């Protein structure tokens, strides 16, 4: 028998190892993959190695119902998760939640008729899809949409698809709930069969939650009838398992203490920076811009040099907040977790399609402080789900009543802006709510979301520094024994106080872990990324612009005017630049007063600042009143010189009033009917001549 040489032995060993690997699938040496190990650098959110075929995914996981979400701030994702849980526990559906950007849709024409698809769609900005829904929206509403079997739109290729739809919108915006309306129209046109009404929730009216609750009951009834579901008593079935890890300490290098992904955990953070991967940016400068003691407005300069983060004038910067220590303590203490706050836990999805919303292993404290929206509004449905875990029968009865009685819930919870820990305290603060599973809190509380601010600087003037202008929020609720504090703006205020020498900042009685996980934010840093916007100056600087920006709504216009002043100094021809600015008093909250004077010197007669100080006369005067006073000039700029018209600020009142007044101005100045003038305004919007950056 021939003797084996060294090369033969090596080849034989490799073959044996390969055979073992095939049959064991790595059982003996495989390590569970950390889903947060990547940098999330892919701009479109595609997950390497995962199928983009939703039908394959449904079959692999044994699911018969997929709930897609298009979400910008996490609310639509939360509603999608709630539908999935309710469909599973109450009707026995095999549900999964899916991010719209994770899948392709050419094979929807082969969607099985024994499955159902649900779409929970937020409308963003001026009737636009959310970032994660853009590809789906453009595909499904396209003029020449084509599917895997080659069927055209006229052939009703989606006749097998049963779908459910719910939209999240705001009636203060012109394109209210346009996403769900357009997608519903497109799917129906392609032959898909909608079950139930296409629901619409209205954040502008403050009725989003009740709109959702009112919509889902008849939807479930019709769905049950159409596909033969039987309702059963809903019992809590956890989506996640929580394991306390006695083998790990918080100091261990592989325990997440608030880091968003593994690169941050290992101290090797790298770009691209995006909604999954923030840049830990130094704050170069911070100052107070109000001159009154009982209110705060912050101006901050965020240094992005060396990060490859870029922005354009008019874009938004996202700030990743941290919950206040006071609220973290309240939450952990009422659940009886105060003494276990630094216990390491592993969180794992009990279903292969369930995605843990933060990296683990982590600690109770880190999960609550950095990842859970514990100060957010509370849903009646969530309160109802916690009743079973009340410490006694009296508390259970109260939680049940809150969950079932809409008016009582509004009186006791919604109208007082209580967060979930405050609700539990109000019901019974004498006992710890130790029966409440931490898993239900992860499932029922939204993931904390970045807050977006209009950038108040020009990228032409300062490409490596991003300016923020933010009023520190607080709401005094009549009849409540607490003041509601803005999570992010108070966090920024704490950073400003620290930068100005306060060793222990606690704005409004709140404390923040401002040095971040493992002191990685020390030296006054804040996690950020940039979101690009369509709110832009005209490419030709000689084109006139009219800007309406009261209060902190002036933020993007500081950037616009800063840019135009620099262009004028460089010898470029700059068109008429009109700013309508309003605040309470010229001596208290007149933002950037000195800067406007400097810009006026650079821009000369092309710059015009028109102010409205609402409390300096017996009758309140707002920017819309000043706009009407300038009717002739405004109409001339719009009609003769095709000026761009911009509005930034409060959507519910100011922006709506400005829109109304502009229609009246055009009607009166051009001698046309108000109806015709309103059509002119709509045409200005659709062409981009009228642009808004508003919030409610």
């Amino acid at each position: 028998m021939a003797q084996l040489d060294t090369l033969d032995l090596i080849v034989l060993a490799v073959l044996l190892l390969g055979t073992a690997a095939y049959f064991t699938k790595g059982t003996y040496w495989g390590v569970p993959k950390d889903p947060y190990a990547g940098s999330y650098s892919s701009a479109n959110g595609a997950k390497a190695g995962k199928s983009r075929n939703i039908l394959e995914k449904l079959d692999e996981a044994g699911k018969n119902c997929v709930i897609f979400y298009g979400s910008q701030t996490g609310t639509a994702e939360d509603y999608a998760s709630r539908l999935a849980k309710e469909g599973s526990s109450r009707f026995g559906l095999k549900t999964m939640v899916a991010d719209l950007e994770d899948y392709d849709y050419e094979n929807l024409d082969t969607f099985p008729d024994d499955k159902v698809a649900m779409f929970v769609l937020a409308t963003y900005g001026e009737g636009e899809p959310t970032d994660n829904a853009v590809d789906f929206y453009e595909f499904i509403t396209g003029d020449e949409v084509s599917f895997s079997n080659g069927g055209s739109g006229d052939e009703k290729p989606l006749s097998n698809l049963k779908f459910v739809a719910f939209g999240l919108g705001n009636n203060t915006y012109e394109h209210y709930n346009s996403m769900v309306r357009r997608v519903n129209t497109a799917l129906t046109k392609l032959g898909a069969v909608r079950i139930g009404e296409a629901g619409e929730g209205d954040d502008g009216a403050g009725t989003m939650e009740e709109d959702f609750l009112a919509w889902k009951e008849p939807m479930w009834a019709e769905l049950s009838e159409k596909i033969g579901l039987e309702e059963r008593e809903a019992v809590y079935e956890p989506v996640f398992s929580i394991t306390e890890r006695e083998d790990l300490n918080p100091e261990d290098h592989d325990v997440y203490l608030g880091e968003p992904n593994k690169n941050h955990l290992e101290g090797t953070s790298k770009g691209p920076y995006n909604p999954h991967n923030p840049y830990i940016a130094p704050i170069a400068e911070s100052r107070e811009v109000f001159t009154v003691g009982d209110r705060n407005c912050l101006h901050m300069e965020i240094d992005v040099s060396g990060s490859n983060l870029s922005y354009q004038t008019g874009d938004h910067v996202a700030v990743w907040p941290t919950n206040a220590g006071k609220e973290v303590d309240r939450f952990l203490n009422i659940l009886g977790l105060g003494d276990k706050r630094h216990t390491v836990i592993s969180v794992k999805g009990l279903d292969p399609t369930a995605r843990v919303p933060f990296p683990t292993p982590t600690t109770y404290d880190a999960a609550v402080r950095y990842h859970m929206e514990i100060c957010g509004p509370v849903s009646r449905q969530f309160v109802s789900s916690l009743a079973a875990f009340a410490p006694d029968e009296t508390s259970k009865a109260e939680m049940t009543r809150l969950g079932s009685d809409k008016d009582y819930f509004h009186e006791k919870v919604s109208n007082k802006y209580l967060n979930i820990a405050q609700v539990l305290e109000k019901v019974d603060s004498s006992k710890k709510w130790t029966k409440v599973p931490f898993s239900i809190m992860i499932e029922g509380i939204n993931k904390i979301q970045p807050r977006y601010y209009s950038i108040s600087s020009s990228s032409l003037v300062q490409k490596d520094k991003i300016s923020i202008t933010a009023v520190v929020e607080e709401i005094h609720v009549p009849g409540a024994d607490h003041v509601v504090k803005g999570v992010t703006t108070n966090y920024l205020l704490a950073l400003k106080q620290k930068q100005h020498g306060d060793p222990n900042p606690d704005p409004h009685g709140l404390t923040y872990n401002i040095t971040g996980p493992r002191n990685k934010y020390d030296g006054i840093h804040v996690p950020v990324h940039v979101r690009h916007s369509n709110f832009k100056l005209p490419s030709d600087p000689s084109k006139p612009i009219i800007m309406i920006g009261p209060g902190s709504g002036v933020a993007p216009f500081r950037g616009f005017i800063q840019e135009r002043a620099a262009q004028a100094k460089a010898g470029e021809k700059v068109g008429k630049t009109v700013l309508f600015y309003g605040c309470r008093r010229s001596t208290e909250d007149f933002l950037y007063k000195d800067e406007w004077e400097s810009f006026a010197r650079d821009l000369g007669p092309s710059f015009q600042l028109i102010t409205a100080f609402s409390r300096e006369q017996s009758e309140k005067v707002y920017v819309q009143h000043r706009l009407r006073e300038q009717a002739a000039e405004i109409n001339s700029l719009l009609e003769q010189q095709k000026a761009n018209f911009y509005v930034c600020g409060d959507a519910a009142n100011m922006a709506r009033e400005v829109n109304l007044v502009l229609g009246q101005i055009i009607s009166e100045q051009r001698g046309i009917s108000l109806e015709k003038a309103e059509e002119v305004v709509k045409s200005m919007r659709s062409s981009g001549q009228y642009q808004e950056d508003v919030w409610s």
Side-chain angles (χ1 to χ4, degrees):
M1 182 176 176
Q3 198 169 11
L4 295 175
D5 61 19
T6 304
L7 181 59
D8 292 329
L9 289 169
I10 292 171
V11 171
L12 184 59
V14 169
L15 288 170
L16 287 169
L17 283 170
T19 304
Y22 176 81
F23 285 108
T24 65
K25 309 298 187 196
T27 300
Y28 297 113
W29 58 82
V31 177
K33 179 171 173 57
D34 178 357
Y36 289 83
S39 65
Y40 288 93
S41 58
S42 175
N44 66 6
K47 316 298 189 296
K50 290 193 177 182
S51 171
R52 293 185 59 81
N53 185 326
I54 185 59
L55 302 186
E56 283 183 4
K57 185 70 173 179
L58 287 168
D59 286 341
E60 287 171 7
K63 305 297 184 183
N64 60 6
C65 176
V66 57
I67 302 96
F68 294 106
Y69 65 85
S71 187
Q72 196 73 26
T73 63
T75 307
E77 182 179 0
D78 175 57
Y79 281 123
S81 297
R82 287 166 60 181
L83 285 173
K85 284 192 66 177
E86 187 170 359
S88 173
S89 64
R90 192 174 157 196
F91 297 98
L93 281 167
K94 305 298 183 185
T95 59
M96 67 170 281
V97 176
D99 187 331
L100 276 169
E101 72 179 354
D102 286 349
Y103 297 95
D104 298 320
Y105 299 94
E106 288 84 355
N107 63 350
L108 280 183
D109 59 336
T110 60
F111 200 89
D113 63 3
D114 61 346
K115 301 187 192 305
V116 65
M118 299 186 179
F119 295 89
V120 183
L121 304 170
T123 298
Y124 169 61
E126 292 302 296
E128 302 153 25
T130 57
D131 291 345
N132 74 317
V134 171
D135 290 345
F136 165 74
Y137 175 75
E138 291 180 348
F139 172 77
I140 209 70
T141 60
D143 292 334
E144 298 181 5
V145 60
S146 63
F147 293 95
S148 56
N149 287 336
S152 68
D154 294 337
E155 297 173 62
K156 307 294 184 186
L158 301 187
S159 56
N160 274 354
L161 177 65
K162 298 181 183 70
F163 77 97
V164 167
F166 182 78
L168 292 78
N170 186 316
N171 71 9
T172 61
Y173 291 73
E174 181 186 4
H175 302 284
Y176 172 62
N177 260 313
S178 63
M179 262 298 286
V180 75
R181 293 178 182 181
R182 291 171 186 165
V183 167
N184 173 55
T185 298
L187 290 172
T188 304
K189 183 179 178 182
L190 292 166
V193 178
R194 192 187 69 244
I195 295 175
E197 295 298 318
E200 296 186 354
D202 187 0
D203 190 46
T207 59
M208 181 74 75
E209 176 68 16
E210 293 302 330
D211 293 338
F212 174 74
L213 296 178
W215 162 80
K216 71 180 181 66
E217 288 308 316
M219 180 277 293
W220 285 126
E222 186 170 334
L223 183 62
S224 298
E225 181 183 339
K226 288 285 173 63
I227 65 173
L229 299 178
E230 290 187 11
E231 186 171 358
R232 61 190 187 185
E233 184 180 356
V235 178
Y236 173 64
E237 299 171 351
V239 175
F240 305 110
S241 67
I242 312 294
T243 305
E244 295 185 355
R245 300 286 300 273
E246 295 181 2
D247 59 318
L248 292 175
N249 294 311
E251 296 78 21
D252 290 346
H253 70 277
D254 55 349
V255 174
Y256 291 87
L257 297 182
E259 296 91 350
N261 57 49
K262 195 159 190 175
N263 282 338
H264 283 268
L265 178 68
E266 295 175 343
T268 57
S269 169
K270 56 186 178 182
Y273 299 106
N274 53 39
H276 305 291
N277 185 41
Y279 173 58
I280 310 303
I283 296 176
E285 175 191 338
S286 59
R287 68 179 191 270
E288 175 65 56
V289 286
F290 278 174
T291 55
V292 61
D294 61 344
R295 292 188 296 141
N296 298 95
C297 183
L298 305 175
H299 176 90
M300 288 185 157
E301 298 283 346
I302 296 172
D303 189 345
V304 294
S305 57
S307 68
N308 286 326
L309 266 180
S310 63
Y311 77 99
Q312 294 181 334
T313 309
D315 282 346
H316 301 126
V317 62
V319 175
W320 292 47
T322 297
N323 281 313
K326 178 180 179 180
E327 294 304 330
V328 174
D329 293 346
R330 185 199 306 275
F331 184 90
L332 292 172
N333 289 337
I334 195 66
L335 295 180
L337 295 172
D339 294 337
K340 299 171 71 173
R341 66 192 311 147
H342 298 304
T343 298
V344 177
I345 56 172
S346 287
V347 184
K348 182 180 179 182
L350 294 173
D351 182 286
T353 65
R355 186 182 178 194
V356 180
F358 47 79
T360 77
T362 186
T363 65
Y364 288 114
D365 184 282
V368 173
R369 188 179 300 274
Y370 292 103
H371 299 295
M372 297 169 66
E373 195 77 80
I374 60 171
C375 294
V378 180
S379 78
R380 189 157 58 87
Q381 191 175 9
F382 185 43
V383 169
S384 180
S385 72
L386 296 179
F389 307 105
D392 55 41
E393 289 301 316
T394 303
S395 299
K396 181 179 181 179
E398 178 68 3
M399 292 290 281
T400 302
R401 183 182 177 191
L402 286 169
S404 59
D405 187 330
K406 179 173 72 172
D407 295 334
Y408 188 63
F409 181 82
H410 284 311
E411 176 193 347
K412 297 294 184 180
V413 178
S414 299
N415 292 345
K416 295 185 178 177
Y417 296 85
L418 298 183
N419 62 44
I420 189 59
Q422 289 171 326
V423 171
L424 300 184
E425 285 181 339
K426 290 289 184 184
V427 172
D428 190 345
S429 62
S430 66
K431 299 184 181 72
K432 303 296 184 188
W433 291 62
T434 55
K435 297 178 186 177
V436 177
F438 195 64
S439 57
I440 201 173
M441 288 301 194
I442 298 174
E443 297 158 25
I445 296 173
N446 289 359
K447 182 178 179 179
I448 199 165
Q449 296 293 321
R451 271 50 166 188
Y452 292 94
Y453 297 90
S454 302
I455 294 175
S456 55
S457 54
S458 161
S459 56
L460 177 70
V461 175
Q462 50 179 76
K463 68 181 181 66
D464 291 331
K465 284 185 180 177
I466 291 175
S467 297
I468 291 180
T469 307
V471 174
V472 178
E473 296 176 90
E474 61 174 32
I475 302 172
H476 294 266
V477 183
D481 55 6
H482 69 288
V483 178
V484 181
K485 307 291 185 184
V487 173
T488 310
T489 52
N490 280 279
Y491 169 50
L492 293 175
L493 180 56
L495 286 166
K496 179 254 181 186
Q497 291 175 347
K498 178 77 171 179
Q499 188 167 48
H500 286 260
D502 187 339
N504 300 298
D506 65 336
H508 305 124
L510 304 176
T511 56
Y512 291 86
N513 186 19
I514 58 177
T515 60
R518 293 184 170 89
N519 294 321
K520 290 175 180 174
Y521 304 172
D522 203 10
I524 320 300
H525 287 69
V526 65
V528 300
H529 70 270
V530 170
R531 182 175 73 188
H532 297 294
S533 162
N534 294 322
F535 195 73
K536 291 287 180 281
L537 278 166
S539 56
D540 179 2
S542 68
K543 188 174 184 178
I545 60 173
I546 302 162
M547 300 162 286
I548 319 290
S552 60
V554 81
F557 303 137
R558 177 183 182 268
F560 282 15
I561 296 168
Q562 187 183 61
E563 183 152 317
R564 288 205 150 192
Q567 290 169 329
K569 286 181 73 173
E572 293 188 57
K573 181 183 178 182
V574 174
K576 187 74 174 180
T577 303
V578 182
L579 171 64
F580 289 85
Y581 173 72
C583 62
R584 293 181 184 180
R585 300 180 187 278
S586 58
T587 56
E588 293 181 359
D589 50 0
F590 191 172
L591 299 182
Y592 304 118
K593 179 180 179 181
D594 295 340
E595 291 190 22
W596 305 133
E597 294 172 0
S598 174
F599 293 145
R601 289 192 291 271
D602 295 333
L603 287 164
S606 67
F607 178 60
Q608 185 178 4
L609 173 64
I610 299 166
T611 56
F613 303 117
S614 62
R615 302 190 182 183
E616 290 194 353
Q617 56 281 313
S618 56
E619 291 188 9
K620 291 185 178 179
V621 175
Y622 297 111
V623 286
Q624 57 266 30
H625 301 135
R626 297 298 189 216
L627 182 66
R628 181 182 290 282
E629 292 171 1
Q630 304 293 321
E633 182 182 10
I634 295 303
N635 181 64
S636 175
L637 287 170
L638 292 173
E639 187 175 27
Q640 305 301 323
Q641 301 184 49
K642 304 301 179 185
N644 274 14
F645 190 86
Y646 302 92
V647 181
C648 181
D650 164 47
N653 299 303
M654 181 276 299
R656 181 173 280 184
E657 286 293 318
V658 165
N659 184 82
L660 183 66
V661 168
L662 183 61
Q664 294 168 348
I665 287 172
I666 290 172
S667 172
E668 294 162 5
Q669 294 294 314
R670 302 183 191 181
I672 60 177
S673 69
L674 188 57
E675 291 75 16
K676 180 67 175 174
E678 288 170 350
E679 288 301 316
V680 171
V681 173
K682 284 185 178 180
S683 176
M684 288 171 58
R685 286 178 178 274
S686 61
S687 69
Q689 186 183 3
Y690 188 140
Q691 298 181 34
E692 286 186 322
D693 182 2
V694 295
W695 56 85
S696 58

